[in-house]
Amino acid sequence: ALNMHKSVDGGNTWTEIFANAHVDQHAIAIIPLNHNELFLGNDGGVYFSDDQGDTHNKINNLPITQFYAIEIDESFPERLYGGTQDNGTNRTLTGSLDDWENIFGGDGFYVLVDPNDNNFIYAEAQNGFFGKSSNGGTTFLASSLGIVGTRKGWNSPFVFQPNNSSILYCGGSHLFKSTDRAENWNPISPDLTQGPGTGNLTVGVLTSISVSSLNTQTIITGADDGT
C-alpha cells in the first residue's frame, strides 16, 4: 500500500495528502497554469484536488474498474456480481449502471451465487481467502477452515459441484473439497503441480477446476506451470 505525500522544503519533511483516498498510486498530474490543481490516479480510480491534495473528490463516472471474474444470480439474472482488481467484490441488484455496491474487500476474484438458494454467496480475496454469506451478501464470514498445507494462488479457483451446490471445490497447489457449503475444507489430492514455481510467472498453483457433470468423480485441474 502506498499513499501520496508532499514536501514543501525540498524533500526534508513530508506530509500525507489525498488522505483516505485509495492506496497504490500510479500517476499524478499537476495543472501547469494552476499548481493547486492535481489529478491522482491509483488502483481505485481518479481523484481531483484544487488545493494541492488537502481535500479531494473521486471522479466516479469513469468505467475503469478491472474485473477478474463475473457471476449472475440464476434466480434473479438482473443481479450481477464481479471480483475486481484491488476494489473487492461488487454487485448490482438491478443491473443498472449507478447502484453497484461493495460487498467483500481486498482484491476481488471469483464469486459464486448458489443457483438453488441465493442466500448463499461465496466471495474471494487475494491468496485464497474465502468468505461465505448465508444472508444474500449482507454479511460475510471467513470460510477457509481446513485450507492448509498448500501454496495459494493470487487468484484461486473455486467451483460448485454440478447438480449439488452444497459441495464446492477450491484449489491451491492441492485440490480441496467441502461438503457443507464451505464451512470446512479437506484436501482430496496430492500436489497437482510441478512444485514451487520460480517467482511471479509460476507459483505452482491451480488456476482452473472443472468437475464433470456426467460423472462428478471425474475432476480436471489446470495449473500455472501447465500441469
Side-chain angles (χ1 to χ4, degrees), residues 124-170:
E124 176 188 7
Q126 63 269 33
N127 300 319
F129 181 83
F130 295 102
K132 171 186 174 180
S133 174
S134 57
N135 55 15
T138 301
T139 59
F140 283 81
L141 295 175
S143 185
S144 301
L145 184 64
I147 306 177
V148 296
T150 188
R151 293 181 299 282
K152 296 180 180 180
W154 176 250
N155 183 355
S156 299
F158 69 114
V159 299
F160 289 123
Q161 177 173 292
N163 308 319
N164 188 345
S165 56
S166 66
I167 299 176
L168 295 93
Y169 299 85
C170 72

Side-chain angles (χ1 to χ4, degrees), residues 6 28 30 57 60 130 194:
K6 174 179 70 175
I28 187 167
I30 304 172
N57 292 300
N60 287 314
F130 295 102
Q194 299 181 54

